[in-house]
Every structure is written in C-alpha cells, then in structure tokens.
C-alpha cells in the first residue's frame, strides 16, 4: 500500500487537478492586468476595513484593465448567517461596488471561474488534497481534541513552540496501512500538510505594501481539510486564488504571519505565488490609545452605519482613499470634478502603520462631496434616505418642485456652493425654516421694540420683484432711516456714532424670517419663500 492507495481511500471520486486546470484556463487579459478579489465570510456584515479593501481591489483592477470579483468564504459553517451573502452584495452595491464577477446574490454567481462560494467547491478542494496525499505532501491526522491538548501541554511545559511540527506531529509518520485501516473503521480525521519547511531557514516574502519581509520557513503540519471535509482558509486561499487566476491578493495584515505556509503550499503544487498586498487595519483612538476598529465596540465599523446616518457613499469612499494614498487629497484639490476612480492608486504609497479613523475628517470630506452635487442630486439622495429613515423629512420633500428650489439656494448658480451639509440626516434641521415659520426669535443687537420697528419699516418698502441690488439698497435705506449706519465700514470707523449698522438690521429680518442668525443668502431664501410667506412671517413678528 502506498500514498496513492491512501489518497484513493480518502477521496475515491476526486478528479485529477489537471481536470480543473483545463476547466479554468488562464484569463484572456492583457499583460499587466490585475485580477483582484474581495473574499469575506458570509456574516452579512461588511466591515469598514472590508470596504477599504474593496476600494483597493477595484482600483487595481480598473487601472490595469483587469477583473475584480467577489468570493464568499464560507468554510466556517459556524460563522454563517442566513442571507449573509445577499446582505454583503447589497451592502457593497450601496457603495457602488458591483464586482465584475463572482457572487451576485445568495446563491448565484456570474463568471467562468465559479462556483464563487467555497462551500460549493468541496470536490475541487478534495482533488487538490488528493494530489498532495498521493505525493506524500499531506496526510490524514487522527488526533483527538484530548491528544492535541496533551501535546500542547507538553510543549508549554518544555517551553517550546506549540503546534504540530517535527516530532510533535503525531500522525505524520503513521504507516499507510494503519491509516487506511483507521479510515475504514470510520475514525474521524483531518488532512494535514506534511511540511518540508525548517524553522531555522528563512524565506523572503515580497509584499506590495511593505516591501520585503523575512520569515522563518513554515514547519507546521497545518490542517488543510477539516473533519467536516471543508478546507481551512489557508488551503482554500491557495486553491481558489490559483484556479481563479488572482494576480494580487489584497488582504488584512493579520494574514502576514501565514504567508510562509501559503508559499509552501503554492510551491508544493508548483503554482505561481500571487502578489501579496497585506494592508494595515483601520484603527480607532480610544482613551488616547490606538486599537483596531471593532465590530463589537464601534458602530462605525459596519458600513451600514454610514448608510443609516446618511453619509453619502461617495464621501465614505473618498475618505477611505485618503487613508489608502495620502496623495489623493492633493489630487482631489487639483481635479475637483474628476471621478475618484480616475486617481491612480499605488500600493507602494500606502502607509504601513494603520490609519486612525477620523469621523471629523470624513464629515469634512462629505461636505465637499455634497457641495458638488446639484439640487436634483441632493434632492434625490436626501429623499431616498428620508423614505427609509425619516418619515417627517420624506413628507416635507414630497413637493419636489419646491424642494428643488430650497436645495438650489446658494448651490445651483453659486460660485461658492454652500457647504453646510455633511449627511442626509442633517437635512431636516438644515431646511426646516423653509417649511415652517419660526416661533422663537433670538435677535442679536437690535431687539424688542427696535426690532419691530425695523421690520415695520422694511415691510413698507419690501417688493418681491426687486432685483438683488435694489433689495439690498432698501435694507440700507431702512437702516439709515432708523439711525443705523448705512455701511458696515463707516460704522467700524466710528462705532460710537450709531447703535448698530446695516448688518444688524438685516439680522433682524433674517431672524424674523428664519429664526436663525446664520443662513445662506437671504435674498434667495426670500425668493423661494415667496411674497406672501415673507409678508406673513414678517408681519407676525410685529404683532
Ligand atoms: N475570508 C478571509 C477574511 O475574511 C479573506 C482573507 C483574504 O482576502 O484572503 O479575512
């Protein structure tokens, strides 16, 4: 009995790996085209770090005329969530991430390299495991949890590294006959790598973000296939990224220490090792210390959070691009109207130490992103958001014609469009006075009867049809008539000469109309409110 017999007993029906090589031919892409993938577990949850990886993946694929695909890594059946794939697909779609290939719904994939869900690739993994067993590069291991525990304890007591390696790999040298016997008896087993690595030898790994990293070789007889017949991450990564012809593996830095094992596996099969880009985690400042942003503690770790808050997807993506390549900020300043995807992202320019997530900065990016939208875009985004999250706002926005005028204030024809919105959840408060007359008036300098007088005088001269210049001249006239300085400049030269200036007068009108001291352009506001509403609001203050 030899390894071939053993392999046949374990996987009697497995096909040859050539069969799959034939089936998944190299992709027909130009030289230099990068094939990337996002490979989450189907937990239904997309972490902000996952979105950040997607941005990198998409940029690499787009920049080189390659392919970006979505693979679902569901070999850990415990972590699976009902509808988890669908939720990931939907969450990505909200950020405009529709991968070129891969899973497109809970059970459907698109493309020639599927299935794109690992639990549906069982036979493929078995074929590749069989190949290794036949060559003596993998073997069945029958260790029970108790045996594993015992080995660990002995290693710890002796101050040694834990794990299955060298003499500690208990079933590594089990005679083939005995192994076959045990399998035939129905004993449970896993498949382990028979590692040829040595801890005292070093290998160099090239990482596209970090440059060269040196490690000891892998010498662990790592589990490749679990007792349930599904592979562990390491094995699935090697098989899938080979067969799907991934050129560039973008993944979290937590995988760096496993790269020697992955390289050993690629070498055992004689496959080309892909380019690795192991990207730093997104951090959070907590009590003066930096830590990984966490799904458990931080609501902003889930991409759904941004959607609920109404932070535009474009803003989240632009902010993340700032983290990925700090040169993006300068590029954006120089190219305010270009699509983000036109920026050339470079892995070698990524920081290696992990960026701290900064909500203030994100909202600032968001303000700039929203400032570039026209009234119709703002309306569509805000209304869509409101229909899902804020019934009252949705009602307000039902009259599209009016809402477009409201959102057009200091936006449509303005050289410097307003920047007072960073998320859709701010819209209601931002525009409420265009829908409801204010009930509280906190005038600034000119108050009480003096304020009423200002409004009475203004009502006498107000004419809806005035152009902006005439409109402003009339406010100056009112100021002058009531003994305030007509120009701010003259007031500043001799402040003791007047009780206030034209600015104070217009503040009274502004507060009377909107209840606020700061608003966008008052002339535009009055035009949108309309003659009747303006007169009503002003008159009611004088009563
Ligand atoms: N499923 C792995 C994870 O979620 C994927 C890592 C990879 O991209 O290779 O961490």
């Amino acid at each position: 009995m030899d390894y071939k017999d053993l392999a046949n007993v374990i996987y009697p029906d497995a096909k040859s790996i050539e069969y799959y090589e034939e089936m998944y031919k190299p992709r027909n892409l130009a030289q230099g085209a990068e094939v990337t993938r996002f490979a989450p577990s189907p937990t239904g949850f997309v972490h902000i770090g996952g979105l950040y990886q997607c941005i990198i993946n998409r940029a690499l694929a787009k920049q080189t005329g390659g392919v970006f695909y979505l693979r679902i890594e569901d070999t850990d059946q415990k972590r699976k969530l009902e509808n988890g794939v669908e939720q990931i697909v939907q969450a990505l779609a909200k950020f405009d991430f529709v991968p070129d290939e891969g899973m497109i719904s809970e059970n459907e994939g698109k493309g020639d390299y599927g299935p794109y869900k690992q639990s549906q690739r069982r036979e493929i993994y078995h074929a590749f495991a069989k190949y290794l067993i036949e060559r003596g590069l993998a073997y069945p291991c029958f260790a029970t949890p108790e045996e594993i525990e015992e080995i660990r304890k002995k290693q710890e007591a002796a101050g040694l590294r834990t794990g299955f390696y060298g003499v500690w790999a208990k079933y590594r040298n089990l005679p083939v006959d005995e192994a076959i016997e045990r399998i035939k008896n129905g004993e449970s087993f896993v498949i382990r790598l028979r590692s040829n690595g040595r801890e005292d030898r070093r290998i160099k790994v090239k990482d596209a973000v970090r440059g060269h990293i040196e490690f000891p070789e892998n010498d662990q007889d790592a589990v490749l296939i679990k007792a349930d017949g599904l592979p562990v991450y390491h094995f699935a990564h090697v098989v899938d990224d080979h067969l799907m012809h991934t050129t560039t593996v973008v993944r979290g830095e937590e995988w760096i220490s496993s790269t020697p094992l992955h390289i050993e596996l690629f070498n055992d099969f004689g496959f080309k090792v892909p380019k690795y880009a192991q990207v730093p985690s997104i951090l959070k400042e907590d009590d003066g210390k930096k830590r990984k942003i966490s799904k458990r503690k931080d609501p902003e770790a889930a991409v759904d959070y941004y959607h609920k808050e109404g932070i535009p997807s474009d803003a989240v993506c632009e902010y993340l691009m700032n983290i990925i390549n700090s040169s993006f900020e300068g590029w954006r300043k120089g190219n305010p109207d270009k699509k983000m995807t036109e920026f050339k992202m470079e892995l070698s320019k990524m920081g290696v130490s992990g960026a701290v997530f900064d909500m203030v900065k994100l909202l600032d990016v968001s303000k700039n992103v929203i400032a570039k939208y026209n009234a119709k875009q703002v309306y569509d985004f805000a209304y869509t958001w409101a229909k899902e999250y804020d019934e009252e706002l949705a009602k307000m926005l039902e009259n599209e014609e009016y809402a477009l005028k409201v959102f057009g204030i200091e936006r449509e024809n303005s050289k410097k469009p307003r920047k007072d919105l960073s998320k859709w959840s701010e819209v209601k408060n931002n525009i409420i006075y265009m829908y409801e007359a204010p009930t509280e008036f906190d005038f600034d300098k000119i108050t009480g009867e003096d304020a009423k007088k200002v409004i009475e005088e203004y009502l006498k001269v107000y004419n809806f049809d005035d152009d902006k210049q005439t409109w402003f001249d009339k406010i100056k006239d009112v100021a002058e008539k009531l003994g305030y300085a007509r120009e701010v400049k003259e007031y500043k030269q001799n402040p003791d000469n007047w009780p206030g200036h034209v600015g104070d007068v217009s503040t009274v009108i502004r507060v009377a109309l909107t209840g606020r001291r700061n608003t966008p352009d008052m002339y535009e506001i009055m035009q949108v409110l309309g003659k009747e509403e303006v007169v009503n609001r002003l008159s009611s203050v004088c009563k």
Side-chain angles (χ1 to χ4, degrees):
M1 294 271 190
D2 58 13
Y3 290 141
K4 262 203 146 59
D5 300 310
L6 176 62
N8 272 327
V9 170
I10 301 177
Y11 299 121
D13 304 321
K15 298 199 166 62
S16 70
I17 72 169
E18 288 75 23
Y19 172 87
Y20 294 104
E21 296 286 339
E22 188 60 31
M23 190 161 160
Y24 302 112
K25 292 221 168 60
R27 290 167 183 272
N28 197 2
L29 294 171
Q31 182 85 11
E34 295 195 59
V35 179
T36 61
R37 83 292 190 277
F38 179 47
S41 300
T43 54
F45 173 94
V46 180
H47 191 280
I48 185 81
L51 186 63
Y52 153 90
Q53 288 179 21
C54 281
I55 294 173
I56 301 171
N57 280 318
R58 181 177 64 183
L60 290 174
K62 281 243 150 66
Q63 284 167 200
T64 59
V67 174
F68 164 45
Y69 69 90
L70 174 64
R71 181 170 76 220
I72 295 294
E73 307 215 323
D74 61 343
T75 59
D76 183 353
Q77 299 285 310
K78 285 190 288 284
R79 290 181 63 202
K80 219 162 146 166
L81 188 94
E82 187 141 356
N83 240 358
V85 181
E86 183 67 34
Q87 286 179 33
I88 289 175
V89 170
Q90 296 298 336
L92 292 180
K94 281 179 189 157
F95 287 87
D96 220 11
F97 278 96
V98 180
D100 306 311
E101 183 181 308
M103 294 308 286
I104 53 168
S105 70
E106 190 62 37
N107 289 306
E108 271 171 292
K110 116 178 156 190
D112 297 334
Y113 293 85
Y116 296 93
K117 205 187 208 184
Q118 289 182 331
S119 57
Q120 294 169 353
R121 301 173 63 77
R122 196 181 276 261
E123 330 176 335
I124 302 178
Y125 303 122
H126 291 179
F128 283 75
K130 185 172 187 180
Y131 175 93
L132 292 183
I133 298 167
E134 282 170 348
R135 284 157 186 76
L137 294 167
Y139 63 92
C141 168
F142 302 91
T144 61
E146 295 74 34
E147 280 176 284
I148 296 173
E149 179 63 11
E150 196 187 310
I151 292 170
R152 192 181 57 81
K153 278 196 179 137
K154 281 189 187 154
Q155 289 168 328
E156 277 175 359
L160 295 170
R161 279 184 300 134
T162 56
F164 275 63
Y165 60 92
V167 294
W168 299 101
K170 191 160 171 192
Y171 293 89
R172 183 182 165 104
N173 296 319
L174 191 73
V176 167
D177 296 357
E178 201 182 311
I180 291 178
E181 176 99 19
R182 283 177 177 245
I183 291 165
K184 287 193 170 154
N185 284 339
E187 257 185 63
S188 168
F189 63 91
V190 300
I191 301 295
R192 282 186 189 271
L193 169 70
R194 186 175 274 119
S195 176
N196 287 314
R198 279 184 21 198
E199 222 242 339
D200 59 349
R201 280 196 308 233
R202 297 183 75 76
I203 63 163
K204 255 196 198 152
V205 178
K206 189 168 181 291
D207 182 283
V209 178
R210 283 152 216 274
H212 286 282
I213 328 177
E214 251 197 54
F215 294 98
E217 284 181 357
N218 170 64
D219 67 345
Q220 296 268 350
D221 284 2
V223 174
L224 305 180
I225 307 273
K226 297 176 290 179
D228 66 3
L230 282 171
V232 299
Y233 168 77
H234 311 296
F235 194 60
H237 152 52
V238 171
V239 172
D240 292 349
D241 283 317
H242 171 70
L243 289 179
M244 297 179 183
H245 301 280
T246 311
T247 61
T248 313
V249 171
V250 175
R251 62 181 178 190
E253 62 188 354
E254 64 274 19
W255 296 110
I256 291 178
S257 58
S258 312
T259 5
L261 166 61
H262 303 158
I263 289 173
E264 182 175 3
L265 283 167
F266 275 109
N267 290 341
D268 280 353
F269 284 116
F271 298 156
K272 187 166 184 272
V273 180
K275 179 160 104 182
Y276 284 109
Q278 297 170 118
V279 299
S281 308
I282 297 182
L283 307 176
K284 168 150 181 148
E285 192 126 352
D286 187 2
D287 240 357
K289 283 191 214 99
K290 288 182 194 168
R291 61 163 173 81
K292 265 192 187 181
I293 201 160
S294 124
K295 174 176 169 178
R296 226 165 15 86
K297 294 188 206 153
D298 311 311
E300 71 272 29
V303 297
D304 261 5
Y305 167 86
Y306 303 90
H307 195 65
K308 284 187 196 133
E309 280 290 300
I311 301 175
S313 304
D314 286 357
V316 179
C317 293
E318 293 231 345
Y319 171 68
L320 290 174
M321 189 57 107
N322 274 313
I323 294 188
I324 293 164
N325 275 182
S326 55
S327 53
F328 177 72
E329 200 167 349
W331 179 87
R332 179 43 93 210
K333 283 211 179 93
N335 300 279
D337 299 321
K338 285 199 176 156
K339 278 188 154 169
M340 177 182 132
T341 43
E342 289 179 55
F343 170 73
K344 191 169 180 303
M345 198 249 355
E346 286 174 75
L347 290 171
S348 58
K349 291 204 178 138
M350 267 187 95
V352 293
S353 57
V356 176
F357 189 86
D358 182 348
M359 191 57 93
V360 175
K361 172 92 185 159
L362 165 59
L363 293 179
D364 194 53
V365 170
S366 190
K367 274 186 188 156
N368 286 303
V369 165
I370 295 179
K372 271 187 257 154
Y373 292 156
N374 61 31
K376 174 83 173 112
Q377 285 171 306
V378 173
Y379 174 77
D380 287 342
F381 280 123
Y383 193 31
T384 308
W385 179 86
K387 279 189 275 191
E388 204 170 341
Y389 299 107
D390 186 341
E391 225 177 291
E392 221 178 287
L393 177 62
K395 268 219 123 41
M396 276 164 63
L397 299 183
E398 265 169 15
N399 181 345
E400 175 169 352
E401 199 191 328
Y402 183 69
L404 286 179
K405 286 191 207 156
V406 170
F407 289 127
I409 295 171
E410 253 191 60
R411 188 181 310 274
E412 290 291 78
N413 303 313
S414 172
K415 271 192 230 95
K416 264 186 82 192
R418 58 197 284 188
K419 283 195 185 169
D420 54 354
L421 265 185
S422 58
K423 43 186 173 174
W424 310 126
S425 49
E426 291 170 353
V427 167
K428 190 163 67 193
N429 181 47
N430 191 268
I431 61 170
I432 189 86
Y433 58 81
M434 297 305 292
Y435 289 82
E436 289 170 16
T439 50
E440 279 176 42
F441 308 94
D442 182 7
F443 296 113
D444 190 11
K445 238 180 171 166
I446 308 172
T447 55
E449 287 307 309
D450 293 341
K452 279 189 186 173
K453 227 178 261 159
V454 165
I455 291 165
E456 271 162 22
E457 281 306 318
Y458 182 64
L459 272 169
K460 286 185 200 159
V461 295
Y462 167 66
N463 179 352
F464 177 80
D465 299 318
D466 285 343
D467 61 21
K468 195 165 179 184
Q469 191 54 52
T470 315
W471 166 84
F472 194 41
D473 286 342
K474 284 185 174 174
I475 299 181
K476 289 183 178 180
D477 293 344
V478 170
E480 196 173 348
K481 185 166 179 199
L482 296 176
Y484 302 99
R486 186 178 176 90
E487 307 289 343
V488 180
K489 217 164 65 194
E490 56 181 0
Y491 173 82
K492 284 199 170 143
Q493 280 160 3
N494 290 303
D496 300 333
N497 290 3
W498 292 274
H501 54 72
V502 58
D504 303 316
V505 168
S506 69
T507 296
V508 171
I509 304 170
R510 190 187 305 273
V511 173
L513 285 171
T514 66
R516 299 182 186 188
R517 287 187 202 157
N518 287 313
T519 68
D521 188 88
M522 186 157 60
Y523 177 74
E524 286 191 52
I525 289 178
M526 290 167 75
Q527 291 296 304
V528 175
L529 284 175
K531 180 176 168 182
E532 201 181 327
E533 183 68 15
V534 168
V535 172
N536 281 344
R537 288 190 184 189
L538 293 179
S539 322
S540 70
V541 176
C542 297
K543 276 186 199 137

